[in-house]
């Protein structure tokens, strides 16, 4: 009887564990101590990460002292990276802690998107409050006291919530 290829190869056929951005970044920083070409990074880290993850880890590592050396750029191997040891040693304790913040290397876009989302939510709350107050006012003139009380109460609640959220948003920015 012939064994299947999966059982013949055993553990070597298992999918390798993917590394986190922090782990990849730490490996890149370690390689940058002696200097490394971009192509070498992709070759060395390719089995444990995607190209996108490696690019994100390179961007993350640049925050901690990894920099390119333009004079050593190679047409075939790409950018040459070295590590600024003084900067790295002063920020080394932050490497793992900051990875979630810069996982995709685009912190500014995330911050901008969050600010736009908050603004949209505040504008929506204000608009709905004005709409409820207007509808409540119309009901007052139509002689519907119970409906107007409900609508005006809702408008007041929404207005207070809007003021509170606006104050929190201003304090956080």
């Amino acid at each position: 009887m012939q064994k299947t290829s999966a059982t013949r190869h055993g553990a070597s056929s298992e999918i390798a564990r993917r590394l986190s951005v922090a782990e990849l970044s730490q490996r890149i920083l370690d390689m940058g101590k002696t200097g490394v070409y971009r192509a070498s990074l992709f070759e060395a880290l390719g089995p444990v990460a995607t190209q996108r993850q490696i690019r994100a880890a390179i961007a993350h590592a640049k925050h901690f002292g990894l920099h390119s050396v333009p004079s050593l750029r190679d047409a075939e191997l790409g950018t040459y990276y070295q590590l600024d040891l003084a900067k790295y040693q002063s920020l080394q304790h932050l490497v793992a802690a900051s990875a979630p913040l810069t996982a995709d290397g685009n912190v500014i876009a995330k911050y901008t998107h969050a600010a736009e989302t908050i603004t949209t939510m505040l504008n929506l709350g204000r608009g709905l409050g004005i709409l409820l107050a207007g509808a409540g006012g119309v009901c007052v003139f139509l002689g519907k006291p119970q409906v107007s009380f409900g609508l005006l109460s809702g408008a007041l609640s929404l207005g207070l919530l809007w003021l509170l959220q606006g104050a929190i948003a201003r304090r956080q920015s």
Side-chain angles (χ1 to χ4, degrees):
M1 247 172 117
Q2 206 175 21
K3 292 184 178 181
T4 64
S5 63
T7 56
R8 272 186 274 153
H9 294 294
S12 65
S13 67
E14 290 181 19
I15 297 173
R17 180 180 80 83
R18 297 285 182 193
L19 298 179
S20 70
V21 172
E23 292 169 319
L24 290 170
S25 184
Q26 187 60 55
R27 285 190 182 185
I28 290 169
L29 290 167
D30 290 340
M31 295 167 94
K33 289 177 184 176
T34 57
V36 64
Y37 280 101
R38 185 175 179 91
S40 299
L41 289 174
F42 283 99
E43 185 178 324
L45 300 175
V48 293
T50 65
Q51 286 187 358
R52 184 181 206 173
Q53 290 171 320
I54 295 169
R55 283 192 296 272
I58 291 170
H60 180 256
K62 286 181 179 180
H63 295 288
F64 300 96
L66 188 72
H67 65 279
S68 61
V69 181
S71 61
L72 296 176
R73 180 166 173 67
D74 184 77
E76 209 174 290
L77 299 173
T79 305
Y80 185 79
Y81 294 109
Q82 275 189 324
L83 182 64
D84 177 355
L85 284 174
K87 184 174 181 180
Y88 172 68
Q89 289 172 348
S90 69
L91 299 173
Q92 184 176 10
H93 64 285
L94 298 174
V95 173
S98 68
L101 298 176
T102 60
D104 67 353
N106 201 354
V107 176
I108 294 172
K110 283 185 176 182
Y111 178 79
T112 303
H113 179 68
E116 289 171 352
T117 302
I118 290 169
T119 302
T120 301
M121 289 171 41
L122 287 171
N123 288 337
L124 182 63
R126 182 181 60 205
L128 287 174
I130 291 170
L131 181 70
L132 285 175
V138 168
C139 286
V140 166
F141 289 117
L142 292 177
K144 308 243 184 215
Q146 293 173 337
V147 176
S148 64
F149 177 76
L151 290 171
L152 291 173
S153 296
L156 180 64
S157 298
L158 204 53
L160 291 174
L161 184 62
W162 173 74
L163 287 172
L164 179 66
Q165 289 176 334
I168 291 171
R170 280 188 295 281
R171 192 181 73 204
Q172 296 298 324
S173 59

